[in-house]
Amino acid sequence: MAKYVLKFIDCWFNNNTARIDKTTIDGKDFIEICFYEEGDELIHSFNMDKSTAIKFAKTLRTEINKMES
């Protein structure tokens, strides 16, 4: 799986970054999304199993499509 680094440039995120990686916890694969402040200080992270990540992606696409309409 490719690793992604997202950089949010708006007033709330103040140039913070988010990293998306595949991780394994107790033998199970998860998608891990971590939000970092400048200087790589971890702010928050969360993990999703495959089915949750798929549902999240579908919901996100639906919400994006609503914005474009």
Side-chain angles (χ1 to χ4, degrees), residues 34-50:
C34 298
F35 294 94
Y36 295 90
E37 290 182 328
E38 293 182 60
D40 281 344
E41 184 177 335
L42 181 65
I43 299 170
H44 181 73
S45 67
F46 63 95
N47 297 303
M48 294 181 281
D49 62 6
K50 184 177 180 179

Side-chain angles (χ1 to χ4, degrees), residues 48-67:
M48 294 181 281
D49 62 6
K50 184 177 180 179
S51 63
T52 303
I54 290 169
K55 177 64 177 169
F56 178 74
K58 287 180 181 179
T59 301
L60 186 57
R61 280 191 297 274
T62 299
E63 295 304 316
I64 291 168
N65 288 334
K66 287 179 186 177
M67 290 174 66

Side-chain angles (χ1 to χ4, degrees), residues 19-43:
R19 294 190 186 127
I20 303 171
D21 297 307
K22 185 185 113 191
T23 188
T24 302
I25 301 171
D26 295 331
K28 297 178 183 177
D29 290 334
F30 291 90
I31 301 297
E32 179 177 53
I33 302 175
C34 298
F35 294 94
Y36 295 90
E37 290 182 328
E38 293 182 60
D40 281 344
E41 184 177 335
L42 181 65
I43 299 170

